[in-house]
Amino acid sequence: MTPSVDPDAVRSYYDYIDAEAYEDVFELFAEGVVYERPGQRSLSGMDEFREFYLEDRPLEDGEHEVDQLVVGEDTVAVRGRFSGVQDGERVSFGFADFHRFDEDGRIAKRITYTDRDEV
């Protein structure tokens, strides 16, 4: 089966994150989601993914600005900027995210690259 790529789901992801609407975020992702981030171990599965967003995410009180969104065969790539708070300090940095979709239209893998060592 061919992956069902949904750029609107990716746009919604950033809106949900900025609004701290985490249950809406989780609905976008597959149960076996893998999330790779710079400087940290990969998250594997919805339990780890949920724990990260609900308890461990170092970014808060922020806003994502999407500069570019590119749709591929099974992946939506995004380039943008985040401004907010990380570990109590104001930050602003560039990011590139890759969201790979599965056949059910859920994001199965997310890879993040940033201008910072860890996010």
Side-chain angles (χ1 to χ4, degrees):
M1 235 172 129
T2 306
S4 179
V5 178
D6 185 355
D8 290 333
V10 173
R11 285 185 189 94
S12 293
Y13 164 80
Y14 297 104
D15 292 339
Y16 294 155
I17 289 294
D18 293 348
E20 297 182 14
Y22 297 117
E23 292 304 320
D24 292 325
V25 168
F26 303 142
E27 289 297 316
L28 300 172
F29 289 84
E31 194 63 34
V33 62
V34 173
Y35 182 21
E36 297 179 5
R37 303 162 293 144
Q40 304 194 24
R41 71 173 185 79
S42 293
L43 302 176
S44 185
M46 186 55 72
D47 289 343
E48 287 186 5
F49 192 71
R50 287 178 68 85
E51 181 178 343
F52 171 74
Y53 277 102
L54 296 175
E55 299 176 25
D56 299 332
R57 186 171 183 254
L59 300 174
E60 58 188 351
D61 191 28
E63 184 175 291
H64 291 83
E65 180 181 327
V66 173
D67 296 327
Q68 187 174 22
L69 189 140
V70 179
V71 179
E73 184 175 314
D74 68 350
T75 302
V76 175
V78 177
R79 184 179 57 81
R81 293 204 59 76
F82 173 82
S83 297
V85 176
Q86 181 175 5
D87 297 326
E89 294 183 31
R90 296 289 313 163
V91 295
S92 181
F93 57 85
F95 68 86
D97 288 336
F98 298 84
H99 302 83
R100 191 182 76 208
F101 284 78
D102 66 12
E103 304 82 30
D104 298 322
R106 303 275 178 145
I107 301 168
K109 185 169 188 177
R110 181 165 189 270
I111 303 170
T112 295
Y113 298 98
T114 69
D115 292 348
R116 298 178 63 84
D117 294 337
E118 292 185 8
V119 295

